[in-house]
Amino acid sequence: MAETPESDWVARFADEVIAAADRYRPGKPIVCASGLSPSGPVHLGNLREVLTPHLVADEIRRRGVPCEHIISWDDYDRFRRVPATVDSSWSEHVGKPLTHVPAPPGSEHANWADHFRAPLLTALAELGVEFRGISQTGMYTSGAYTDQVLLAMRERHRIDAILAQYRTKPKHSAASQGLSADEAAMNELALAGSGAADEDDGASAAGYYPFKPYCEACDRDLTTITAYDDETTVMSYSCACGHAATVKLSAHTHGKLVWKVDWPMRWAYEGVAFEPSGVDHTSPGSSYVVGGRIVGDVFGGTQPVGPMYAFVGMAGMAKMSSSKGGVPTPAQALGIMEAPLLRWLYSRKKPSQSITVSFGQELQRMYDEWDALTGRVTAGTAQPAEVSAYSRATATAAGPLPVTPVRLPFGTLASVYDVTTGQPEQLLRVLRDVAPDQRIDSLDVLRPRLDRAARWVAAELPAEQRTQVRGAPDAGMLAALDEHQRASVRLLLDGLGAAWSLDGLTTLVYGVPKRMLGLPLDVKPTPELRAAQRSYFALLYRLLVGRETGPRLPTLLLAIGAGRVRELLAVTGE
Ligand SMILES: [Zn+2]
């Protein structure tokens, strides 16, 4: 495992968290926490909620200090609204706990929360994230929090007074946080998956109660507590459905603390030392700020180190957003990105910096950047912060993540896959030609990157950018070529055999227009030469693939194969 220079943001948070944990919970394992609401697809914005504590916990483990990463699944939260993609009949479930709502139609999962949690669990395993998941349904319904619930009810006036200090504060606006409209919209999406959006804090005309019962008749939380007795814990509530009941709260596990009380309760219960949160949780009056008061005053705990994390943006995903709806999930990203690459996008940026994840043509550039970094790290020329981000991306305290043994450029793999339509023997033949100095015994040494490229071609490359090699020569066009064009095509065919490699073909296709202009091969490019090269390439693309552009010509020629190139470019007059 690579050594981690202690120079990056992760190391600095680890220092801070270890120091804080030493003060407040000496001798106990350090707890880093994430909270996720499986109320809908858990997307790449929410992934920051997981990867930020993961990286810090991993750094602490690398130092040999016992540390646990917990993910609290907020699956006992209420079902807020029916997404447009789901039958409107699900509206009868609004207000029920997420684990009591049927999964969307066609799902193999037992309930709504499981349906959205399952793909994330698979993705986290692939990303090397070790954690202990805690279902809040399990915790509340088993009575694990009964003492904390009774304490919060007993201290309700104190809690109400703390909340009251913040209720009058003006609501922050996107502009005041320095967010663009796009970022604000993304942020809202992120919050929708983080358990905190728009929940009431427990205030009502009947008085303040931090506990919200789910109705025993209709299972929804459209309830109001009408009376509570601290001595006996006898609680009466009424529900919008008409049901009313009186229960003993010390034995009643059908309900939960409101979010702003629930979160600090769990900080104290689990002894959380580090838990980041999204922008809206850290503004004045937000749950992080209020929770910081409640955790100490009510639960006798300590507020964790809690940096705000910024926005995760997406680039080049017009197609994906229109076809699949919403922000992509980690599972979707892992379909086209190697796990270390995806980890790197998060490890290289401080939580306060925004992240951009690229899907369209931009993805190739991202892979190239990643490969260049790998090269610098291997050569020992990378900056210390780059080495840290790389080391955190490629390994955890448990060991290295799987890598592709022979890494060819992603763009090359995608082009060759596209041109050969994924035909395995052809793929192997062409990729050996493309990289003759690599040992490519089978396609397996190119995996998993090859499979990512294949999926990217299928899912992300627009139909108009797919390459279709002509099935037969364009006889009409060939016949209509002028003598200059014929000569230039003949020069290519004459040189083909000797130049059959990526480098050789590159020299050849750039060299033909020079020779046609009577220039030496080592001439500096002039505007005239560039124009001649452009029109020459366009001519070849039209004859080979029937349009003006395509994959890089040397790659394309290798992929098509010499025999077929000769057929498609068979000019008369030879
Ligand atoms: Zn009811």
Side-chain angles (χ1 to χ4, degrees):
M1 194 193 320
E3 204 182 322
T4 304
E6 300 186 3
S7 58
D8 67 344
W9 66 268
V10 182
R12 287 194 294 275
F13 274 121
D15 292 341
E16 193 182 338
V17 170
I18 289 171
D22 272 351
R23 277 197 302 278
Y24 300 116
R25 289 179 20 116
K28 295 198 176 147
I30 296 175
V31 177
C32 297
S34 306
L36 286 175
S37 171
S39 57
V42 180
H43 55 68
L44 288 172
N46 310 132
L47 185 60
R48 207 161 194 185
E49 172 83 29
V50 179
L51 286 185
T52 307
H54 161 72
L55 291 167
V56 172
D58 189 62
E59 168 64 18
I60 294 171
R61 285 186 200 132
R62 286 183 196 225
R63 298 183 189 182
V65 177
C67 181
E68 185 175 43
H69 178 196
I70 60 173
I71 296 182
S72 278
W73 300 106
D74 290 322
D75 55 12
Y76 206 45
D77 283 6
R78 74 194 302 263
F79 180 55
R80 289 202 178 85
R81 58 180 165 268
V82 185
T85 48
V86 171
D87 192 277
S88 61
S89 66
W90 257 253
S91 61
E92 68 177 89
H93 303 297
V94 169
K96 293 182 187 174
L98 291 167
T99 40
H100 296 187
V101 175
S107 169
E108 53 177 320
H109 295 285
N111 60 62
W112 191 270
D114 279 1
H115 174 79
F116 290 107
R117 174 168 33 209
L120 182 66
L121 292 176
T122 308
L124 291 181
E126 194 174 341
L127 285 166
V129 176
E130 267 181 50
F131 65 94
R132 176 166 63 93
I134 302 173
S135 159
Q136 293 306 317
T137 301
M139 295 301 278
Y140 272 106
T141 59
S142 70
Y145 295 147
T146 296
D147 289 349
Q148 284 71 20
V149 167
L150 297 179
L151 173 62
M153 286 293 267
R154 211 158 51 234
E155 296 288 324
R156 61 189 177 276
H157 302 298
R158 190 199 296 260
I159 294 172
D160 191 28
I162 294 170
L163 292 172
Q165 292 172 25
Y166 296 95
R167 283 192 191 112
T168 52
K169 294 263 164 71
K171 269 206 98 122
H172 51 276
S173 67
S176 73
Q177 294 171 29
L179 297 183
S180 69
D182 269 4
E183 288 173 331
M186 273 296 307
N187 199 45
E188 225 160 84
L189 257 171
L191 279 171
S194 69
D198 311 324
E199 188 167 339
D200 73 50
D201 64 8
S204 81
Y208 177 78
Y209 296 101
F211 184 79
K212 190 82 168 167
Y214 283 112
C215 170
E216 282 170 306
C218 72
D219 205 16
R220 294 175 298 174
D221 69 347
L222 311 177
T223 54
T224 307
I225 294 176
T226 51
Y228 182 70
D229 180 69
D230 284 310
E231 284 304 308
T232 60
T233 80
V234 168
M235 175 183 82
S236 299
Y237 70 86
S238 62
C239 177
C241 75
H243 183 72
T246 296
V247 299
K248 211 163 153 62
L249 188 55
S250 59
H252 181 83
T253 57
H254 201 54
K256 71 185 287 289
L257 293 171
V258 297
W259 164 252
K260 281 184 176 170
V261 182
D262 178 74
W263 199 21
M265 180 276 285
R266 286 190 263 143
W267 289 341
Y269 187 91
E270 304 288 354
V272 176
F274 182 76
E275 181 169 0
S277 49
V279 174
D280 265 28
H281 289 209
T282 46
S283 51
S286 69
S287 29
Y288 182 77
V289 174
V290 177
R293 297 280 309 279
I294 294 175
V295 68
D297 290 5
V298 177
F299 296 107
T302 308
Q303 186 175 39
V305 175
M308 174 207 91
Y309 57 82
F311 161 80
V312 177
M314 311 298 145
M317 55 164 297
K319 180 163 187 261
M320 190 166 234
S321 53
S322 60
S323 62
K324 302 203 179 88
V327 182
T329 63
Q332 286 169 326
L334 286 170
I336 56 175
M337 289 168 211
E338 294 168 343
L341 168 57
L342 185 57
R343 286 173 65 93
W344 176 62
L345 298 180
Y346 291 78
S347 70
R348 67 175 172 163
K349 292 286 180 71
K350 282 182 273 200
S352 57
Q353 295 174 308
S354 62
I355 290 176
T356 302
V357 184
S358 303
F359 280 81
Q361 297 293 339
E362 290 287 287
L363 181 65
Q364 296 189 16
R365 194 187 44 74
M366 225 166 63
Y367 265 100
D368 291 345
E369 239 184 280
W370 171 241
D371 289 346
L373 172 62
T374 305
R376 285 200 301 282
V377 171
T378 310
T381 57
Q383 299 298 312
E386 290 184 315
V387 176
S388 297
Y390 182 82
S391 141
R392 300 187 192 293
T394 52
T396 68
L401 273 79
V403 292
T404 301
V406 175
R407 299 197 219 178
L408 298 189
F410 186 82
T412 303
L413 291 175
S415 294
V416 174
Y417 188 90
D418 180 28
V419 175
T420 60
T421 62
Q423 219 274 325
E425 293 85 38
Q426 282 202 57
L427 260 178
L428 190 58
R429 172 184 64 77
V430 176
L431 290 171
R432 278 174 172 160
D433 281 346
V434 166
D437 49 343
Q438 304 272 9
R439 274 196 58 168
I440 305 178
D441 299 327
S442 78
L443 291 179
D444 287 341
V445 300
L446 302 166
R447 295 192 158 102
R449 184 176 288 197
L450 176 63
D451 301 320
R452 261 64 169 176
R455 215 172 283 124
W456 181 81
V457 169
E460 294 289 318
L461 199 58
E464 68 274 11
Q465 286 173 28
R466 297 290 298 268
T467 306
Q468 280 214 304
V469 180
R470 294 190 57 89
D474 187 339
M477 186 175 164
L478 284 168
L481 296 183
D482 64 29
E483 195 39 51
H484 179 89
Q485 290 171 319
R486 273 170 219 279
S488 70
V489 172
R490 270 198 297 272
L491 272 177
L492 179 82
L493 294 178
D494 291 346
L496 214 53
W500 200 250
S501 71
L502 213 47
D503 286 349
L505 290 171
T506 304
T507 308
L508 180 64
V509 296
Y510 281 91
V512 168
K514 296 176 188 168
R515 289 169 61 185
M516 294 299 293
L517 288 169
L519 299 169
L521 283 182
D522 58 356
V523 68
K524 286 239 168 66
T526 62
E528 186 198 10
L529 175 57
R530 285 217 177 86
Q533 284 169 334
R534 263 199 307 278
S535 73
Y536 181 56
F537 296 167
L539 170 69
L540 294 177
Y541 281 125
R542 281 203 304 278
L543 288 169
L544 295 169
V545 298
R547 55 191 180 88
E548 297 277 316
T549 59
R552 291 190 64 240
L553 268 173
T555 311
L556 179 65
L557 293 169
L558 284 177
I560 294 175
R564 193 130 169 246
V565 168
R566 288 185 196 285
E567 276 170 42
L568 295 174
L569 300 183
V571 285
T572 52
E574 280 180 283

